[in-house]
Amino acid sequence: MRSMTETNLNHAYAGESMAHMRYLIYANVAESEGMPNVAKLFRSIAFAEQVHATNHYRALGSIKKTVQNLQVAIDGETYEVEEMYPAYRAVAELQNERVAQRYTDWALQAEKIHASMYQKAKQEAESDKDVELGDVYVCEVCGYTVEGSAPDKCPVCGAPQRRFRQF
Ligand code: FE2
Ligand code: FE2
Ligand code: FE2
């Protein structure tokens, strides 16, 4: 692919991905304000943006087989754990940005678990096997992720068990 087109598609992929996420967040806000149709509008258009993002990502040749996708996921989570979040958290601390400090720390805790869950899945995928996986629970406050059962209290943010979403 010509390099200008590749750059453009990368930007389009990033922009559509962010719009997708932004609309899902806005849908939840509309829901909580008692506007279910606005929520529906945000969710439908969020899906359309996902379609656009997927098409751009495919055009970039970035959609591979699961075993390779898992490696990309492991690399991304590991980068966040080893470089990105420790650095961001340190800057937040230096600048006394308490909220940024808390949220970067919460993310850092979860990304460690994500990296190891993906690692286990990749080991199986290497021999064309699906991973053994029980119920996965995610804390809707901080993103702490755990397989098996939800704890009474989130070990990262202290949220109660009812704040865990089951997958
Ligand atoms: Fe779009
Ligand atoms: Fe993650
Ligand atoms: Fe939590």
Side-chain angles (χ1 to χ4, degrees):
M1 183 183 290
R2 302 285 296 272
S3 79
M4 194 172 164
T5 294
E6 188 180 358
T7 301
N8 292 346
L9 284 181
N10 267 312
H11 286 148
Y13 169 66
E16 297 283 3
S17 299
M18 284 190 280
H20 167 76
M21 183 54 60
R22 197 182 301 124
Y23 294 166
L24 292 180
I25 293 167
Y26 291 170
N28 291 341
V29 174
E31 199 83 64
S32 74
E33 289 177 359
M35 288 184 257
N37 285 340
V38 176
K40 181 165 90 174
L41 183 64
F42 274 128
R43 289 201 181 100
S44 332
I45 295 180
F47 176 65
E49 311 310 4
Q50 181 182 339
V51 171
H52 297 159
T54 305
N55 288 342
H56 300 326
Y57 200 63
R58 180 184 302 108
L60 285 161
S62 299
I63 303 180
K64 305 275 170 55
K65 300 283 285 180
T66 292
V67 66
Q68 294 155 299
N69 294 340
L70 282 166
Q71 188 59 53
V72 173
I74 292 163
D75 292 345
E77 301 284 347
T78 303
Y79 165 73
E80 290 176 345
V81 170
E82 291 181 355
E83 298 183 52
M84 191 182 95
Y85 280 129
Y88 286 5
R89 192 180 52 182
V91 172
E93 202 174 339
L94 182 77
Q95 301 191 332
N96 206 25
E97 294 281 359
R98 297 289 171 81
V99 175
Q101 228 173 295
R102 184 190 315 131
Y103 291 161
T104 48
D105 189 61
W106 284 358
L108 175 58
Q109 305 301 319
E111 317 305 7
K112 288 179 192 168
I113 299 163
H114 299 168
S116 74
M117 290 173 103
Y118 281 145
Q119 192 66 60
K120 187 179 155 211
K122 202 210 162 201
Q123 270 159 17
E124 299 300 317
E126 273 166 357
S127 36
D128 278 318
K129 277 190 284 196
D130 196 5
V131 69
E132 296 243 9
L133 188 69
D135 289 336
V136 178
Y137 290 86
V138 177
C139 174
E140 64 182 19
V141 178
C142 75
Y144 169 73
T145 309
V146 62
E147 183 192 347
S149 56
D152 291 337
K153 212 174 121 200
C154 177
V156 173
C157 76
Q161 191 173 61
R162 64 184 161 78
R163 302 299 300 272
F164 276 80
R165 192 180 296 185
Q166 185 191 335
F167 291 87

